[in-house]
Structure formats: structure tokens, C-alpha cells
Amino acid sequence: MSGKAPWIVAAAAAAAAAAVVATMRPASARTHPDPRPGVTAEHVMPDFAIPRTPGSLEAYAAARRAAATLDGIYCHCDCSKHAGHRSLLTCFESDHGAYCDICIGEAMAASQLAARGTSLQEIRAAIDRQFGS
């Protein structure tokens, strides 16, 4: 083996280590944002501007009631990637939330859990279980 290039052994070891690390983390890991201190619902669209789709008015109302909670939740429709959204709250600052069943479902669930006094960490876990892939 002394005649073989040491880089071949090192490359094989690095590839094996990378494979182990890749299988140890969840394939669809998402990071929930930290809620911004003092965030409010002031940028959530007003009722008159919300498209009338099934569940939209209720979801926007939920976003207003639990704005600080929604600001700390990752939206599983992946709008952070395709629309530049920061958090689930951002979905309701435009008409995006009215057209997305995932946003509507997450907002309704998070608002209901927050109203019961559920912690943000528990709400995130519940949202991940229900809407994560």
C-alpha cells in the first residue's frame, strides 16, 4: 500500500465521512426564524384587500391575533425560497397567504395553539409534524 498515493486514501475517508453526516441529518430540515422583538400585525393585509378564497379571512385574522408567534415559524410551503419570505407572518403581509393552503393551515393551527398558551417551541414542533415533509 505504500506505493499508492496517500490522497486516494484521504479522499475515500472524506467521502465516507460525508456520507455518514448526510444520513444523520433529516432530509427536509427547516430552520424556524427567531421572532423579532416587538413585531406586530401592522403589515398584515386589511380585510378589504384580502382575496376571498376559502379560509382566507379566518387565516388573516389568525395572523393578526398571533403575529409574534407566526413571526417565529418557518412556512412549509417554502416561500422563503421562492418568494423571499422571512417567516409565516410574512405570508399574510401580501395576498400570498390567501392562495396557499399550507399558509392558511399553519396560521390557523399556530394561532389556536398560541391562544391555549402553548410555547413557541411546542407550536413549532406541532407545525413541523403536521406540515413538514
Side-chain angles (χ1 to χ4, degrees), residues 40-53 56-65 67 70 85 88-99:
T40 68
E42 71 177 306
H43 297 293
V44 173
M45 286 181 64
D47 283 349
F48 73 84
I50 299 167
R52 299 308 197 252
T53 60
S56 64
L57 288 175
E58 296 85 355
Y60 280 80
R64 280 188 214 94
R65 283 191 304 272
L70 270 62
H85 288 181
L88 179 57
L89 181 62
T90 314
C91 301
F92 297 94
E93 294 175 352
S94 69
D95 66 358
H96 173 88
Y99 296 106

Side-chain angles (χ1 to χ4, degrees), residues 83 97 106 112:
E106 284 189 27
Q112 290 168 359

Side-chain angles (χ1 to χ4, degrees), residues 10-12 31 48 71 79 86 94 102 105-106 126:
T31 302
F48 73 84
D71 197 49
C79 54
R86 181 197 179 283
S94 69
I102 293 171
E106 284 189 27

